[in-house]
Amino acid sequence: MPNPYRTLAGTTVGAIGLGAMPLSIEHRPDESRAVATVHAALDAGVTLIDTADSYHWHAGEEGHNERLVARALARYGGDTSGVLIATKGGRGRPGDGSWTVTGTPEHLKRAAQASAGRLGVDAIGLYQLHKPDPAVPWAESVGALRELLDAGTIRAAGISNVTTAQIREAHAILGDGLVSVQNQYSPAVRDSEPQLRLCTELGLAFLPWSPLGGISRSSLDGLSGPTSTGTAFHRVAAAHGVSPQRVALAWLLSRSPSVIPLPGASRPASITDSAGAGRLELTEAELAELGASLPPQTD
């Protein structure tokens, strides 16, 4: 039977997380639907919510998503003590649709403190360096995470959009304080296969962002481009009477016990469906069919 739970930052979380970015960026829903989406995730057993200070639409909205997630949790009628909020720092959005990268230690330490304030916590459960800054030595950026851990501003550290060499260097600096890697990984985009293998070897959680690539569009892709149909994922989904998105997430979970996918959602129904992947059992023959259908990737 599939395991609907995973381990992250020393705690047990649901095998599927919620990528909260679509609730705050371009074409975001109104607040009532956004809050309902977070509540639906919690109702479905999701206990990992991924956000970032740069998840916003317009200039001057830094932290929009963090504040939204905090408000949604405060308004939830049930117990939220087991919910792990993972946020990120090191990227920015000027408001023109572009993304910037700032990985100086000074910026990261200020950003983490600001994120903790917006989330209303004494210490951030999981703080992730959003992307390496080519203008800053990697060891200096990771060193800021070390300082944040030592100061108690964050309880655990993660890194995102990284190479295997960067994972190894961060692991050497942070030791047990490093608990996760968040890279793009999906049926269509598997360039991070080496990073996934290394995370499994080191006992780090691997958090795929845009995990439904090849099945549906990423929030980063805007509204252009077709959604795939008629794939092996659709055929297996039909056999189980579920969505191809749920099959794709179950396939990701089968790749390694380190994997915790972070599908984005802007509607309650979407995350409710995705959360069901943790209990979807795929046969060996189905996994083989899905794997054989994927485009080759080099690593």
Side-chain angles (χ1 to χ4, degrees):
M1 290 292 292
N3 183 357
Y5 302 101
R6 298 282 155 113
T7 301
L8 175 60
T11 189
T12 299
V13 298
I16 302 296
L18 169 64
M21 182 175 71
L23 302 177
S24 290
I25 64 165
E26 289 83 340
H27 314 292
R28 64 195 182 202
D30 62 32
E31 176 147 339
S32 62
R33 195 175 93 188
V35 169
T37 300
V38 174
H39 289 178
L42 299 174
D43 289 343
V46 171
T47 54
L48 170 63
I49 301 177
D50 181 76
T51 179
D53 59 2
S54 58
Y55 289 169
H56 60 87
W57 186 348
H58 307 292
E61 287 188 328
E62 186 176 70
H64 182 282
N65 198 241
E66 292 172 323
R67 293 188 187 93
L68 174 64
V69 168
R71 288 195 298 272
L73 290 177
R75 297 174 190 172
Y76 186 63
D79 181 14
T80 60
S81 61
V83 177
L84 175 62
I85 304 300
T87 192
K88 297 182 286 295
R91 301 206 75 177
R93 301 205 74 195
D96 60 0
S98 66
W99 297 75
T100 60
V101 182
T102 307
T104 63
E106 297 76 18
H107 172 82
L108 293 172
K109 287 184 283 188
R110 285 196 306 269
Q113 291 163 355
S115 288
R118 287 188 289 263
L119 292 171
V121 297
D122 295 328
I124 296 170
L126 173 58
Y127 191 70
Q128 304 159 96
L129 180 54
H130 207 152
K131 186 175 183 178
D133 184 344
V136 178
W138 179 237
E140 292 185 13
S141 295
V142 176
L145 299 182
R146 178 74 269 169
E147 291 184 49
L148 289 165
L149 284 165
D150 293 343
T153 307
I154 67 176
R155 292 197 175 94
I159 51 179
S160 183
N161 300 300
V162 289
T163 66
T164 53
Q166 288 167 332
I167 295 172
R168 291 189 184 279
E169 186 173 359
H171 190 250
I173 294 169
L174 299 171
D176 292 341
L178 179 67
V179 300
S180 66
V181 171
Q182 185 174 156
N183 275 20
Q184 185 176 17
Y185 187 76
S186 68
V189 181
R190 303 189 313 284
D191 297 344
S192 286
E193 195 76 45
Q195 289 90 326
L196 170 55
R197 290 196 296 267
L198 180 57
C199 285
T200 304
E201 173 190 327
L202 296 176
L204 304 175
F206 184 81
L207 313 177
W209 62 265
S210 193
L212 297 174
I215 307 300
S216 61
R217 294 184 296 274
S218 163
S219 297
L220 290 174
D221 297 332
L223 299 180
S224 62
T227 300
S228 59
T229 58
T231 68
F233 290 86
H234 290 76
R235 292 192 294 273
V236 171
H240 284 269
V242 299
S243 71
Q245 287 82 2
R246 191 183 297 191
V247 172
L249 294 170
W251 174 81
L252 284 168
L253 291 172
S254 77
R255 303 296 292 156
S256 165
S258 293
V259 172
I260 308 173
L262 298 171
S266 61
R267 296 181 300 113
S270 297
I271 190 58
T272 300
D273 179 66
S274 291
R279 289 181 167 81
L280 177 59
E281 185 169 12
L282 301 176
T283 67
E284 290 299 323
E286 288 170 335
L287 290 171
E289 178 185 358
L290 296 172
S293 73
L294 299 174
Q297 298 271 327
T298 59
D299 60 21

